[in-house]
């Protein structure tokens, strides 16, 4: 009876931990519903101390944003034969090509869209996020909005690597790691603009 209570309590705690939702900061917009919510926009816009020139914004984004090719792998087809002591490696690998950073430049409106990706600097950099960046200048300040945010693991182990997908707000999705990586890119741009 006592063991049954412990198992039930442990199972309940595990289920609660799996359904915990990431507490989004005020500068984040989410989409979806209470069952499945995703990171939609991360807005790091700000009012600089000094006016910023659009050519400087373009330069700082070119220096701070990268859009490199990313290789994603798994070992889903690997298996071991313990009695024989043989390990069969059937790793899968596919590369998502990089490309140009700038998608659109509108000089008269001082607005641009850039595409990029970034690895987490918090852990072993297994996580990688892809994004589009909407950047512009106005009387209100500098707009830095990350949109179309997706993430993937470079190596997913024995689980099939499904590639880039929207970032769920559940704890297991490592949303905080993605958010911190985007914030790091925004901070590099802000530092460059000073």
């Amino acid at each position: 009876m006592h063991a049954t209570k412990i198992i039930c309590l442990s199972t309940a705690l595990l289920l609660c931990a799996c359904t915990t939702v990431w507490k989004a900061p005020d500068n984040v917009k989410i989409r979806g519903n209470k069952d499945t919510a995703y990171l939609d926009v991360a807005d790091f816009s700000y009012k600089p101390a000094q006016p910023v020139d659009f050519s400087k914004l373009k330069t700082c984004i070119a220096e701070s944003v990268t859009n490199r090719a990313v290789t994603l792998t798994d070992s889903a087809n690997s298996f071991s034969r313990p009695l024989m002591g043989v390990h069969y490696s059937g790793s899968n690998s596919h590369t998502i090509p990089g490309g140009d950073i700038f998608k659109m430049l509108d000089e008269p409106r001082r607005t641009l869209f850039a595409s990029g990706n970034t690895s987490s600097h918090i852990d072993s950099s297994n996580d990688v996020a892809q994004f589009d960046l909407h950047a512009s200048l106005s009387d209100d300040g500098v707009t830095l909005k990350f949109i179309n945010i997706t993430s993937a693991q470079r190596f997913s182990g024995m689980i099939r690597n499904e590639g880039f997908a929207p970032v769920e707000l559940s704890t297991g999705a490592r949303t905080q790691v993605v958010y911190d990586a985007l914030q790091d890119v925004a901070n590099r741009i802000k530092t460059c603009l000073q």
Side-chain angles (χ1 to χ4, degrees):
M1 178 80 165
H2 183 65
T4 304
K5 286 181 181 178
I6 291 174
I7 291 171
C8 289
L9 182 60
S10 298
T11 302
L13 290 173
L14 181 61
L15 289 173
C16 288
C18 291
T19 58
T20 302
V21 175
W22 179 66
K23 177 76 170 113
D26 293 338
N27 67 324
V28 167
K29 290 183 183 172
I30 60 172
R31 64 183 164 86
N33 55 44
K34 63 178 182 140
D35 296 326
T36 310
Y38 298 96
L39 178 60
D40 191 36
V41 177
D43 188 348
F44 297 97
S45 302
Y46 72 106
K47 184 83 172 173
Q50 301 293 327
V52 174
D53 184 67
F54 189 60
S55 62
K56 178 73 170 174
L57 178 65
K58 290 187 294 187
T59 300
C60 289
I61 288 175
E63 290 177 3
S64 305
V65 174
T66 59
N67 194 15
R68 297 184 182 103
V70 177
T71 301
L72 306 176
T73 60
D74 64 45
S75 57
N77 292 334
S78 299
F79 63 95
S80 297
R81 286 224 155 123
L83 298 176
M84 307 282 289
V86 177
H87 177 78
Y88 296 92
S89 178
S91 75
N92 299 312
S93 176
H94 60 282
T95 300
I96 289 77
D100 293 334
I101 293 170
F102 294 108
K103 289 177 71 170
M104 189 275 290
L105 287 168
D106 186 340
E107 297 275 348
R109 290 190 172 96
R110 301 188 301 166
T111 299
L112 66 85
F113 284 87
S115 293
N117 56 48
T118 184
S119 298
S120 161
H121 298 287
I122 296 167
D123 56 16
S124 60
S125 296
N126 190 40
D127 296 283
V128 60
Q130 281 187 328
F131 57 85
D132 287 331
L133 172 62
H134 168 211
S136 63
L137 299 176
S138 69
D139 294 338
D140 294 330
V142 178
T143 298
L144 294 174
K145 288 185 183 179
F146 292 86
I147 58 175
N148 302 323
I149 304 163
T150 58
S151 70
Q153 288 187 319
R154 290 182 191 274
F155 178 70
S156 61
M158 294 297 288
I159 299 170
R160 182 173 155 75
N161 198 327
E162 298 292 339
F164 286 93
V167 182
E168 287 189 47
L169 268 61
S170 63
T171 302
R174 297 169 54 80
T175 314
Q176 185 67 47
V177 172
V178 173
Y179 175 83
D180 290 344
L182 297 175
Q183 186 175 40
D184 185 51
V185 174
N187 288 341
R188 286 198 308 264
I189 295 168
K190 290 178 183 181
T191 299
C192 177
L193 288 172
Q194 291 178 349

